[in-house]
C-alpha cells in the first residue's frame, strides 16, 4: 500500500467532496421542505451562477454580486413554487417529478441560449494558493469547505431554534396537521424553495471557479450531490455534508487503488458502494428511519 | 400517521385525485362502455395497419421507434404502475436487450427474430437478480439504486476489456432486415409490421398478466405491501419477479430498437433514455396499459416538435410542453380519458 | 338560552364528485358541549372536516355570526376553531414540546405561550415527563393528550374533537373526558365532539345530534336522547 498516494487521494477527495457536500446540503434542504428530490436543483444553481457572472460582468464587485445573486435566487425559487407548482399541488407525485424534469430542461436550455455554451472563468474570493499538500487543497477549496460548514451551522440554528424553522418542519412532516395548527403550509413550501434556491446559488458560485461556468456544469455534480445526500440520510443536513465528503474520497481513492477497473469505472464504483451502503442501512448513514404503521 | 420519507414510492393510482372508470356496462350515447372499448381497439388496429401505406418511410421509421418506446414504457409501467416500485434504471435493461441482439447478429449471424426471445430471457434474469437486493430499498432509495444502474450501463459498455464484444464507444452496426418471402414492402414497412406484431402479442400478454391472479398480487403489494404479505402473498418473490418481467419487456423493446435503428452505441442508452421512458410513463398514465402507447408517441415526438419550434431553445420549449401537459392532464392521458368518460357516463344517466 | 357560537345551515360536503353530507343543520352553543353521533360512515368526520374547511362544502356556516364556509383551513383555524383530527395528527419526528409550540404557531405573545405550555402540562402531567421525547414514541393515549394539548395552545373558542376515545383503554378515556369537561368549564372552550362511544359522549355533552348517511335524524338535549328507548336501541345500539 502506498500511504503517501493514499493520503494525497484522500485530500483531493476532500476537496471535490466539498463541492458535493455543498450541493447535497441544498438537496436535503429542499427535501425537508417539499418531501421530494428536486431534479432541477443543479440547474437552478447553475442559472444563479450565471446571474452572478452577468452582474460581475456589468461591473459589480464580487461580494455585491454574491449577495444580490442570493437575493435574486431566493425570490426566483419562491416564484417557481408559486407559479409552477402551486397549481398542480393535487397532482400525483410522479407528475411532480415530470415537472422537475421540465424545469431542468427549461433552465438548461435558456442558460445556453442567453449565455451560450462556451466555458467561462468564474472568480474566487479566497485566492488559489496552495493550502495543504502541495496544491491538493487550495485556498479556494478550504474556503468552500468553510462556507459549507458555516451554512450548515446557520441552517441548524434556523431549523432548531426559530419558530419559522419549526413551522417549516411541521409543514413538511405533516401538512394536514400543520394546516390545522394555522400554519400557512403553501407559503412554507414556497419559503423552502426560496431557501433551497439561495443555498444552491451559494453552492454554484463556490463550485464554478473549480469546474468552470457553462450550462452543463452541474449535471455530473448533482448526481454526486444526490448520492451524497442519500448516503448521509435525506433527513439530516449534517449527514449530507459528511456524505458529500465521503463520496468525494471514495471516488478518488477507488479511481486510484482499484486496479484495472478503477479509472474507467470510478463513477460506477462510487455508485455501487453507495448502493451497498443503502442495502445495509436503508435510510442512509445518519438518516432517521420512521416506523410506518398500517 | 406520518408518511415515510419515501415519497416517490406512491404511484398515481393511490392518490385521491385519480378518477375511477365507470363500470363496463355504463352507457354513453346509447352504447355501452365495453362496446366503446372494442370500437376503440378496432379503430386503432385499422389505423395501425393502414398508416404505413400512406406516409413516408422516415415517418414509418419514427412510428416504429415510438412503438418500441411504448413497449419499453409498458415494461416500466408493469413495475411502477402495477407494483409500486420505481425505476430510473430501465435504460440499462433496454441497453442489455439491444446489445444482446446486436452481439448475436454481429458475432454469430443469428437472425434478428431469434434475438428477441434471447434478449427477453437475459433481461428477465438480470431484472430478477437486480430486483433481489432492491427488495430492501423503497422510494427514493430505490430510485437512487436504479439510477446508479442507469449511470453504470454506458460506462460498462465502453469499458475497454469488453470492447471485443461491445465495440467500445463505436458500438455495433446491425444490418437492417428486408421483407421476407418477396413481400412487396420496403424495409421500413416490414420492420414496422414486425414490431407491430411483436408489440401486439406482448400487449395482450400484459393485459392478461395484470388481470390474472399474479396481477392481483402485484397490485395488492403496490397498495399495501404489509397487508398483502399478511394475506399470504409472497411479497419478495412477486416484487423481484415483477422486476424481471418489467426488464423482459423493456429488454425486448431494446432488441427491437437495435433492429429498427440499425446500430447500438453506449451513448444511446444513457440516463436520458431512462428519463424519456419515465416521462412517457407519466404522460401516458401510470397504471394504464393503453396509456403507454400515448407515452411512446409522446416520448418520441415531443422533443421533435420542440426542436421544430425553436432550435436554440428546444429544451425550453420541451419543458414548457411538459408543464402544460401536466397542467391539462395531471394523471396522464389515461387519467384525462377516465375523467371525460366518467363525466359523459354521468350526464347520460 | 345562551348564544350560538357555531351554526351550520344546509351543509353539504363533497369528496371530488361524491357527496357525503346532504343539508345538515347543526349548532353549537357558546360554552356548551355538543356531540355528533352516528354509525360508521354516517358522515361524522366529514361534518367536522366541512366545518374546518378541509373538504369542499356548500351551504352556510357561521362562526360567531361570521360566514366561514369556503374559507381556507388556516383562516378558519385562526378565528379560534381548533380541530383535533382523527388519527391525532401527531408530528412524530418533533418532540412533545415542539408539538405544543407548533400548536401556538399563530400566536406571537411569547411569554403567554410559555405559560400555556405549562398549563397543558398541568392538565397532562405525563406530557411534561416526556417533553423532550420524539412524539412518535408516545403511546396512543399520550398522543391523544398531546393532540388535545396542541389544540389548547391555539387558545380556541371552539374545539372540534374527532373520536378522541378511538383505540384507547377505558381508564385513559375516562381520564381524557374528565379533562375535556374541565377544559370546557375552566377555559370556557366550547366543544363539538364526534364519537362512536355514544354513552360516553352523551354523558359529557349537553346537546346531541344523530346523523345517518349524511343526514340529520334526531337532535335534542343529551338527556332526552339517552332516555329514549327506541332511539337508543335503533341508533346507538346499547
Amino acid at each position: 500500500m502506498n500511504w503517501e498516494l493514499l493520503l494525497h487521494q484522500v485530500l483531493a477527495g476532500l476537496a471535490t467532496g466539498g463541492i458535493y457536500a455543498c450541493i447535497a446540503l441544498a438537496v436535503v434542504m429542499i427535501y425537508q421542505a417539499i418531501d421530494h428530490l428536486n431534479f432541477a436543483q443543479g440547474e437552478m444553481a447553475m442559472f444563479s451562477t450565471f446571474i452572478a457572472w452577468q452582474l460581475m460582468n456589468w461591473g459589480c464587485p464580487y461580494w455585491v454580486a454574491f449577495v444580490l445573486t442570493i437575493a435574486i435566487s431566493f425570490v426566483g425559487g419562491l416564484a417557481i413554487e408559486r407559479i409552477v407548482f402551486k397549481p398542480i399541488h393535487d397532482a400525483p407525485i410522479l407528475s411532480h417529478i415530470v415537472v422537475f424534469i421540465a424545469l431542468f430542461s427549461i433552465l438548461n436550455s435558456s442558460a445556453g441560449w442567453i449565455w451560450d455554451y462556451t466555458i467561462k472563468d468564474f472568480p474566487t474570493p479566497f485566492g488559489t494558493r496552495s493550502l495543504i499538500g502541495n496544491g491538493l487543497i487550495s485556498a479556494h477549496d478550504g474556503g468552500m469547505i468553510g462556507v459549507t460548514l458555516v451554512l450548515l451551522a446557520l441552517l441548524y440554528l434556523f431549523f432548531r431554534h426559530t419558530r419559522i424553522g419549526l413551522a417549516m418542519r411541521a409543514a413538511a412532516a405533516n401538512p394536514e396537521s400543520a394546516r390545522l395548527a394555522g400554519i400557512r403550509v403553501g407559503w412554507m413550501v414556497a419559503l423552502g424553495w426560496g431557501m433551497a434556491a439561495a443555498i444552491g446559488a451559494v453552492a454554484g458560485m463556490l463550485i464554478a471557479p473549480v469546474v468552470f461556468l457553462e450550462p452543463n456544469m452541474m449535471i455530473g455534480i448533482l448526481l454526486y450531490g444526490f448520492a451524497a445526500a442519500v448516503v448521509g440520510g435525506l433527513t439530516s443536513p449534517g449527514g449530507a455534508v459528511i456524505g458529500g465528503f465521503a463520496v468525494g474520497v471514495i471516488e478518488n481513492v477507488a479511481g486510484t487503488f482499484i486496479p484495472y477497473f478503477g479509472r474507467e469505472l470510478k463513477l460506477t464504483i462510487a455508485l455501487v458502494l453507495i448502493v451497498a451502503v443503502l442495502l445495509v442501512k436503508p435510510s442512509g448513514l445518519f438518516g432517521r428511519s420512521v416506523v410506518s404503521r398500517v | 400517521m406520518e408518511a415515510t420519507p419515501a415519497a416517490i414510492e406512491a404511484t398515481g393510482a393511490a392518490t385521491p385525485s385519480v378518477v375511477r372508470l365507470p363500470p363496463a356496462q355504463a352507457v354513453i350515447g346509447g352504447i355501452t362502455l365495453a362496446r366503446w372499448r372494442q370500437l376503440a381497439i378496432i379503430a386503432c388496429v385499422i389505423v395501425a395497419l393502414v398508416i404505413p401505406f400512406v406516409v413516408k418511410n422516415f415517418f414509418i421509421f419514427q412510428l416504429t421507434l415510438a412503438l418500441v418506446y411504448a413497449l419499453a414504457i409498458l415494461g416500466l409501467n408493469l413495475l411502477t404502475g402495477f407494483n409500486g416500485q420505481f425505476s430510473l434504471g430501465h435504460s440499462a435493461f433496454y441497453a442489455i436487450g439491444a446489445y444482446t441482439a446486436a452481439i448475436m447478429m454481429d458475432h454469430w449471424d443469428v437472425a434478428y427474430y431469434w434475438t428477441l426471445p434471447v434478449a427477453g430471457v437475459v433481461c428477465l434474469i438480470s431484472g430478477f437478480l437486480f430486483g433481489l437486493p432492491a427488495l430492501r430499498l423503497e422510494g427514493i432509495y430505490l430510485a437512487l439504486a436504479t439510477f446508479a444502474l442507469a449511470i453504470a450501463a454506458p460506462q460498462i459498455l465502453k469499458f475497454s476489456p469488453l470492447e471485443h464484444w461491445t465495440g467500445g464507444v463505436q458500438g455495433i452496426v446491425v444490418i437492417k432486415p428486408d421483407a421476407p418471402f418477396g413481400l412487396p414492402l420496403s424495409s421500413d414497412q416490414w420492420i414496422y409490421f414486425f414490431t407491430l406484431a411483436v408489440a401486439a402479442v406482448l400487449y395482450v400478454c400484459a393485459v392478461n398478466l395484470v388481470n390474472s391472479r399474479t396481477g392481483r398480487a402485484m397490485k395488492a403489494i403496490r397498495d399495501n405491501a404489509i397487508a398483502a404479505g399478511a394475506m399470504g402473498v409472497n411479497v419478495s418473490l412477486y416484487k423481484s419477479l415483477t422486476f424481471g418481467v418489467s426488464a423482459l419487456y423493456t429488454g425486448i423493446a431494446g432488441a427491437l430498437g437495435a433492429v429498427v435503428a440499425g446500430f447500438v452505441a453506449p451513448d444511446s442508452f444513457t440516463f436520458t433514455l431512462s428519463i424519456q421512458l419515465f416521462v412517457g410513463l407519466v404522460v401516458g398514465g401510470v397504471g394504464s396499459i393503453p396509456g403507454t402507447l400515448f407515452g411512446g408517441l409522446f416520448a418520441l415526438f415531443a422533443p421533435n416538435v420542440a426542436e421544430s419550434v425553436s432550435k436554440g431553445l428546444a429544451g425550453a420549449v420541451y419543458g414548457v410542453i411538459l408543464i402544460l401537459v401536466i397542467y391539462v392532464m395531471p394523471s396522464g392521458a389515461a387519467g384525462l380519458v377516465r375523467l371525460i368518460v366518467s363525466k359523459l357516463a354521468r350526464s347520460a344517466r | 338560552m345562551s348564544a350560538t357560537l357555531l351554526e351550520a345551515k344546509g351543509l353539504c360536503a363533497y369528496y371530488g364528485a361524491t357527496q357525503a353530507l346532504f343539508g345538515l343543520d347543526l349548532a353549537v352553543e357558546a360554552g356548551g358541549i355538543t356531540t355528533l353521533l352516528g354509525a360508521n360512515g354516517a358522515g361524522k368526520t366529514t361534518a367536522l372536516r366541512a366545518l374546518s374547511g378541509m373538504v369542499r362544502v356548500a351551504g352556510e356556516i357561521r362562526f360567531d355570526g361570521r360566514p366561514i364556509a369556503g374559507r381556507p383551513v388556516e383562516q378558519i383555524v385562526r378565528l379560534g376553531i381548533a380541530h383535533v383530527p382523527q388519527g391525532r395528527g401527531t408530528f412524530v419526528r418533533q418532540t412533545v414540546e415542539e408539538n405544543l409550540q407548533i400548536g401556538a404557531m399563530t400566536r406571537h405573545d411569547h411569554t403567554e405561550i410559555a405559560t400555556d405550555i405549562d398549563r397543558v402540562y398541568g392538565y397532562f402531567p405525563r406530557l411534561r415527563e416526556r417533553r423532550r421525547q420524539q412524539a412518535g414514541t408516545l403511546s396512543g393515549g399520550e398522543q391523544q393528550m398531546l393532540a388535545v394539548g396542541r389544540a389548547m395552545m391555539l387558545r380556541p373558542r371552539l374545539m372540534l374533537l374527532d373520536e378522541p376515545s378511538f383505540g384507547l383503554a377505558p381508564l385513559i378515556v375516562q381520564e381524557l373526558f374528565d379533562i375535556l369537561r374541565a377544559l370546557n368549564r375552566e377555559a370556557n372552550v366550547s366543544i363539538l365532539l364526534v364519537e362512536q362511544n355514544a354513552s360516553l359522549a352523551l354523558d359529557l355533552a349537553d346537546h346531541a345530534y344523530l346523523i345517518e348517511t349524511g343526514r340529520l335524524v334526531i337532535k335534542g338535549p343529551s338527556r332526552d336522547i339517552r332516555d329514549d328507548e327506541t332511539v337508543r336501541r335503533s341508533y346507538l345500539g346499547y
Side-chain angles (χ1 to χ4, degrees), chain A residues 262-280:
Chain A
R263 199 151 320 130
E264 278 183 73
L265 297 182
K266 84 179 183 184
L267 180 58
T268 306
I269 290 168
L271 286 167
V272 167
L273 280 176
I274 287 157
V275 173
V277 167
L278 286 182
L279 289 177
V280 180

Side-chain angles (χ1 to χ4, degrees), chain A residues 46-135:
Chain A
M46 174 275 297
F47 206 86
S48 297
T49 314
F50 265 113
I51 291 174
W53 181 85
Q54 188 67 68
L55 288 171
M56 281 186 256
N57 226 22
W58 285 335
C60 275
Y62 185 91
W63 291 111
V64 175
F66 188 86
V67 172
L68 268 178
T69 302
I70 292 175
I72 295 170
S73 304
F74 180 83
V75 174
L78 211 77
I80 287 177
E81 199 283 330
R82 291 279 96 176
I83 296 165
V84 180
F85 286 94
K86 194 178 165 231
I88 56 159
H89 70 105
D90 276 342
I93 290 161
L94 295 183
S95 301
H96 275 241
I97 296 173
V98 167
V99 176
F100 289 141
I101 294 167
L103 207 57
F104 177 103
S105 192
I106 291 172
L107 290 172
N108 185 288
S109 163
S110 5
W113 190 69
I114 302 171
W115 291 291
D116 75 52
Y117 288 90
T118 55
I119 290 172
K120 293 176 177 58
D121 272 323
F122 195 87
T124 165
F126 306 110
T128 49
R129 79 207 133 70
S130 169
L131 210 61
I132 306 171
N134 234 342

Side-chain angles (χ1 to χ4, degrees), chain C residues 1-24:
Chain C
M1 183 80 197
S2 50
T4 306
L5 181 62
L6 179 84
E7 190 174 27
K9 274 192 189 142
L11 184 61
C12 300
Y14 306 84
Y15 290 105
T18 321
Q19 188 166 358
L21 284 186
F22 301 86
L24 208 58

